[in-house]
Amino acid sequence: MICDHIRLDEKLIIEAAKKMGVPLTIYNADELFLGINENSSFEPVILQRSISYFRNLHITALLEKMGIQVVNSFHSALICGNKVLSSLTLSKAGIPTPKTFVAFSKEGALKALEKLGYPAVLKPIVGSWGRLIALLKDSDSAKAILESREYMFPIYQIYYIQELIKKPDRDIRCFVIGDQAVAAIYRYSLPGEFKTNVYIGGTAEPCKITSELEELSIKAANAVGGGIFGVDLMESPEGLIVHEVNYATEFKKTVEVSKVDIPKLIIEFLVEKLKR
């Protein structure tokens, strides 16, 4: 397993491997250096848990060039870590997603908002934990927030704008391993907060995996390449829609709430990969 921070999630994976008697080598991404033309000195299957999108991508590319199976793959991480590529991939697969526009200047973003209508949601195309996600309530707030993006790195000047879905004050995180939806939770936002991330104070409750939730989550996971994913869905008036697929997903809250032993299932999935 490669990681740059040993969070509780990674500790749970390490504990599960020990309990199951499965040897698991931990590689610190901070200490790695990999040759472009070197042969592999790694195990044939590697679980990639690096948090940094760009670090994750580049390490995975190098390992795959050595012939190593990486979970999740470079292709999956590339798609899931970029919201534009994710939306394109999900849309091509026929998976319902929020109406989305992408603009490349402040002026273009304002024109997109006129077409989409207010309120709308502005998201960075790369990022996690809800950082820099902004609710655009009206034209004045949009102009102020878009102007602030003009002084940031160029990647923040690709404006990913989505409709604000009418939904309960919660969304659903469904954890998919291989071809199985193994656990799901409702994630509730704090009062006055529209983001539901439990890591910024949101709460969670168990969610029953219905046939609709199972089918859509697995379809979304397979669309981005298959592996181990946290699929985020919203309950719109027209049914479930997928708004994100996470590729290095934190799961400790899902384990706590659902009582499903996700770390054990991850190790079992990796062992099966080794047998193939």
Side-chain angles (χ1 to χ4, degrees):
M1 176 169 70
I2 290 179
C3 41
D4 39 21
H5 295 283
I6 303 284
R7 301 166 293 181
L8 179 57
D9 309 82
E10 284 71 41
K11 288 178 182 176
L12 291 172
I13 292 171
I14 294 168
E15 287 174 12
K18 283 180 182 174
K19 285 180 185 174
M20 298 166 71
V22 176
L24 182 69
T25 307
I26 312 301
Y27 297 98
N28 183 343
D30 289 341
E31 298 171 356
L32 280 182
F33 59 97
L34 304 167
I36 295 289
N37 297 312
E38 285 187 355
N39 294 321
S40 172
S41 58
F42 296 88
E43 292 76 4
V45 175
I46 290 283
L47 178 63
Q48 172 59 280
R49 295 287 302 176
S50 297
I51 299 170
S52 162
Y53 175 57
F54 294 105
R55 176 182 281 181
N56 186 312
L57 274 185
H58 288 87
I59 291 174
T60 300
L62 286 156
L63 292 176
E64 288 186 348
K65 194 262 181 184
M66 295 176 184
I68 295 167
Q69 285 189 78
V70 183
V71 180
N72 290 313
S73 70
F74 175 85
H75 172 78
S76 294
L78 177 69
I79 299 298
C80 295
N82 182 305
K83 291 181 176 59
V84 176
L85 299 182
S86 290
S87 291
L88 286 170
T89 301
L90 295 173
S91 178
K92 284 179 184 174
I95 295 167
T97 59
K99 186 181 292 183
T100 303
F101 287 100
V102 182
F104 306 94
S105 69
K106 176 185 169 185
E107 293 72 24
L110 289 170
K111 288 179 181 176
L113 283 161
E114 285 176 16
K115 187 169 185 178
L116 187 62
Y118 294 96
V121 181
L122 173 68
K123 299 180 179 180
I125 61 168
V126 174
S128 54
W129 298 310
R131 290 176 182 141
L132 290 176
I133 293 178
L135 182 62
L136 308 177
K137 296 180 179 178
D138 51 39
S139 175
D140 287 338
S141 65
K143 287 175 183 172
I145 291 169
L146 292 171
E147 188 175 335
S148 71
R149 298 290 199 270
E150 295 283 297
Y151 298 97
M152 301 172 80
F153 285 113
I155 196 169
Y156 296 109
Q157 288 144 34
I158 297 174
Y159 301 98
Y160 178 93
I161 302 166
Q162 281 187 331
E163 64 175 325
L164 182 66
I165 298 294
K166 292 178 181 176
K167 65 177 185 62
D169 60 346
R170 67 187 187 189
D171 70 0
I172 298 172
R173 162 68 56 83
C174 185
F175 211 87
V176 177
I177 300 178
D179 289 327
Q180 287 190 304
V182 300
I185 58 172
Y186 289 117
R187 306 187 306 172
Y188 289 84
S189 54
L190 290 171
E193 172 63 72
F194 79 101
K195 291 180 277 190
T196 56
N197 305 61
V198 295
Y199 303 100
I200 58 173
T203 57
E205 289 183 0
C207 172
K208 181 183 176 183
I209 300 178
T210 63
S211 56
E212 181 190 12
L213 176 58
E214 179 181 36
E215 181 181 346
L216 199 53
S217 299
I218 292 172
K219 189 175 179 182
N222 287 335
V224 298
I228 300 172
F229 301 97
V231 181
D232 294 344
L233 308 98
M234 293 187 282
E235 301 158 282
S236 80
E238 291 76 35
L240 292 175
I241 59 175
V242 177
H243 62 101
E244 197 161 321
V245 182
N246 302 277
Y247 65 100
T249 318
E250 293 169 306
F251 52 77
K252 55 182 179 288
K253 180 59 74 174
T254 306
V255 171
E256 177 188 323
V257 172
S258 70
K259 308 303 181 190
V260 174
D261 193 346
I262 291 174
K264 178 173 178 282
L265 296 174
I266 289 174
I267 295 297
E268 288 177 349
F269 180 74
L270 298 175
V271 169
E272 284 301 311
K273 284 267 180 194
L274 268 173
K275 292 177 181 175
R276 292 173 195 166

